[in-house]
Amino acid sequence: MAANRQILLLPGDGIGPEVMAETRRVIDWLGKKRGVRFDIAEDIVGGAALDAHGTPLHDKTMAKAKAIGCVLFGAVGGPKWDNLPFAQKPERGLLRLRKEMDLFANLRPAVCFDALVGASTLKPEVVQGLDIIILRELTGGLYFGEPRGITDIGNGQRRGVNTQVYTTSEIRRVAEVGFELARKRRRKVTSLEKANVMESGVLWREEVTKLHREKFSDVALEHMYADNGAMQLVRNPKQFDVMVTDNLFGDILSDVAAMLTGSLGMLPSASLGAADATGRRLALYEPVHGSAPDIAGKGVANPLAMILSLAMALRYSFDLPDNADAVENGVRAVLAEGVRTGDIMQPGATKVSTRAMGDRLLAALDRAA
Ligand code: NAD
C-alpha cells in the first residue's frame, strides 16, 4: 500500500548508524504489526558525506530533507574530522539543516522512567513520574543578534559584544508551539525570561501574555524569571508541564532538565519549523547525544534515545499519538524487565548489546500488540 508518510533517515557517523539500524527495525515493525507504513529514504551526512562528497551535507540531501519534511538524524562527528576548519566540520551539516529548514522550536522532553529513577542525581521522590518539556527558541536571540564581535578599544583593552534581540513574530511563533503542545498535555505553559533586568525579556513577557489572551486562554500561563526556573527545576521539577524560553536560557535549562533523568543515551529531541497551510511543520528528530567515538563500532550504544526520537516524530509530525505511546510503553517495559545497555547499567540488571536491546524492545512491542 502506498504511504504518504515520508521520513528521511540520516544516520551520520560513529554510533549514529548503529542506533539508526534499531530504529529502522521499529519503523518496519509499525508497518508490519500496526499497519502504519512509511516511505523511507536514506542518505549520508557529516563525516560520511565529507568523505564521499567533500561536504558535510550535499545540496541534493538538503533538497531531499526539505521536500520530505521529516528527518530522523543520528549523530555526526568524530576524531577523523576534528582538525578540519570550522566551516568544513561534520557538525556544519546539522547546522545547515536547522538553518535552511528554519527549525526555530527545539523540544526536549525530560521524562523519568520509573526503572531509571535511581540514575538521577536527585532524590527519587523529586523525579519519579517526571514528564516535562523544555521548548527552546533556536534561531534567534543572543547567539545570532547583531552587533557582535571583539574590538580593540585602545590602552590594551578589548570589548566583547553580543546582542540579545527578539521580534514580536519570533516570540509569538515559538510561544504558539508551546501553547499547542500544552493543549495535548496538562495545559500549562511556564514562560521564562529576565523581564526584571532585560528589555527583550519585557517584550517576551508582553507578547506571550498577548498571544495567550488572544488564542490560548484554555491553557494556564505562568511567567517566571529564568534564574528562578533553574532553581525550581532542581527543587520541584514536577510543577512544570511545558517550559518555553529563549535560545540562551533554553540552552542552559534544557541541560539542567536533561540531568534530572540520568543518562544521555535516553534523551530524544525534536526541532520544528513553521506550519504550512495544512498545519504540517518541517521537523528534525535526533537524540541529544553525539556520535560517541569511544564506543562506536562496538555494538554497545544505547539505541533508546534515537527510538524515542522516532516516537516524537510519530506524535508531532504524523499525529499518531497511539503509536508514539506504544513505542514509549515498549521502552518502559524493557527497562522494567531490567534490560540495560552499558550506559544505564545497574546492579542486578541484564547488560545487553545495541542489537539485543532492539530485539528485546521488539519482543515487548509484540507482547503489547
Ligand atoms: P557524545 O554524546 O558523543 O558522548 C559523550 C559520552 O556519552 C561518551 O562517553 C559516550 O560513549 C556516551 N554516550 C553518548 N551516547 C551514548 C549512547 N547512545 N549509548 C551509550 N553511551 C553513549 O559527546 P562527545 O563525546 O562530546 O562528542 C563526540 C562527537 O560527537 C564529537 O565529534 C562531537 O562534535 C559530536 N557531537 C555531535 C552531536 C550531534 O550530532 N548532534 C552532538 C554532540 C556531539
Side-chain angles (χ1 to χ4, degrees):
M1 202 207 304
N4 56 9
R5 301 187 192 98
Q6 293 182 297
I7 302 181
L8 174 62
L9 307 183
L10 296 177
D13 309 316
I15 62 168
E18 299 171 43
V19 297
M20 189 66 85
E22 299 315 310
T23 308
R24 179 73 195 250
R25 292 172 77 202
V26 177
I27 296 174
D28 292 345
W29 182 91
L30 288 166
K32 277 197 213 102
K33 300 290 173 73
R34 293 181 71 102
V36 182
R37 290 177 218 289
F38 295 89
D39 284 337
I40 301 295
E42 183 162 344
D43 211 333
I44 53 176
V45 68
L50 267 168
D51 289 352
H53 309 304
T55 166
L57 184 76
H58 197 281
D59 289 345
K60 282 189 182 153
T61 316
M62 186 65 246
K64 227 187 274 182
K66 277 190 183 163
I68 290 177
C70 175
V71 176
L72 273 192
F73 186 98
V76 291
K80 183 175 173 192
W81 308 282
D82 272 354
N83 295 323
L84 289 173
F86 187 67
Q88 287 169 28
K89 280 192 183 291
E91 289 78 357
R92 298 296 293 185
L94 177 58
L95 295 179
R96 184 175 172 201
L97 280 162
R98 284 185 183 155
K99 184 159 185 275
E100 294 196 21
M101 292 170 83
D102 198 13
L103 304 174
F104 61 85
N106 182 243
L107 277 66
R108 277 214 215 165
V111 173
C112 190
F113 291 97
D114 281 354
L116 295 182
V117 159
S120 175
T121 49
L122 296 191
K123 290 184 190 128
E125 63 269 25
V126 176
V127 291
Q128 189 142 31
L130 179 75
D131 177 4
I132 62 175
I133 286 191
I134 312 279
L135 174 58
R136 166 187 172 194
E137 200 290 328
L138 201 59
T139 54
L142 196 68
Y143 296 168
F144 295 95
E146 298 282 348
R148 62 185 297 161
I150 299 175
T151 48
D152 202 322
I153 54 172
N155 293 332
Q157 298 289 308
R158 294 189 300 157
R159 183 167 177 263
V161 176
N162 290 91
T163 303
Q164 166 82 337
V165 52
Y166 273 105
T167 61
T168 298
S169 59
E170 285 175 314
I171 297 167
R172 282 178 70 100
R173 67 180 185 171
V174 71
E176 186 144 1
V177 172
F179 286 122
E180 281 170 4
L181 280 173
R183 267 191 182 150
K184 295 186 176 175
R185 298 169 48 89
R186 300 188 299 278
R187 290 182 180 257
K188 179 177 176 188
V189 167
T190 305
S191 170
L192 301 111
E193 26 56 19
K194 290 279 289 175
N196 48 345
V197 285
M198 295 168 74
E199 282 75 8
S200 58
V202 172
L203 182 75
W204 184 282
R205 188 174 282 219
E206 288 176 0
E207 293 296 345
V208 173
T209 305
K210 194 158 167 257
L211 178 68
H212 175 247
R213 216 172 24 233
E214 285 167 16
K215 290 175 71 176
F216 296 101
S217 50
D218 55 314
V219 175
L221 170 66
E222 82 177 342
H223 299 282
M224 193 178 274
Y225 297 135
D227 49 343
N228 184 27
M231 204 165 70
Q232 296 299 330
L233 261 180
V234 288
R235 193 184 74 85
N236 177 18
K238 284 187 269 187
Q239 70 185 282
F240 298 113
D241 179 15
V242 176
M243 301 175 81
V244 56
T245 189
D246 73 12
N247 204 342
L248 170 69
F249 297 138
D251 193 0
I252 297 165
L253 294 174
S254 61
D255 272 12
V256 174
M259 275 323 292
L260 300 175
T261 63
S263 166
L264 210 49
M266 294 297 304
L267 294 168
S269 77
S271 300
L272 308 179
D276 66 14
T278 68
R280 182 124 191 261
R281 296 176 184 277
L282 291 185
L284 182 145
Y285 300 88
E286 59 177 325
V288 169
H289 63 71
S291 58
D294 54 331
I295 56 166
K298 296 183 180 160
V300 297
N302 185 348
L304 296 179
M306 184 81 246
I307 290 168
L308 291 168
S309 301
L310 167 68
M312 291 188 82
L314 297 173
R315 200 179 292 286
Y316 299 119
S317 279
F318 301 109
D319 200 20
L320 295 166
D322 294 350
N323 290 284
D325 286 347
V327 173
E328 288 165 2
N329 287 336
V331 169
R332 210 165 270 126
V334 167
L335 295 173
E337 284 168 35
V339 178
R340 301 280 187 277
T341 42
D343 58 312
I344 50 173
M345 189 55 193
Q346 288 165 314
T350 310
K351 190 166 167 182
V352 298
S353 65
T354 309
R355 180 78 189 188
M357 180 59 97
D359 291 340
R360 297 292 290 257
L361 176 62
L362 293 179
L365 290 173
D366 271 339
R367 274 196 307 278

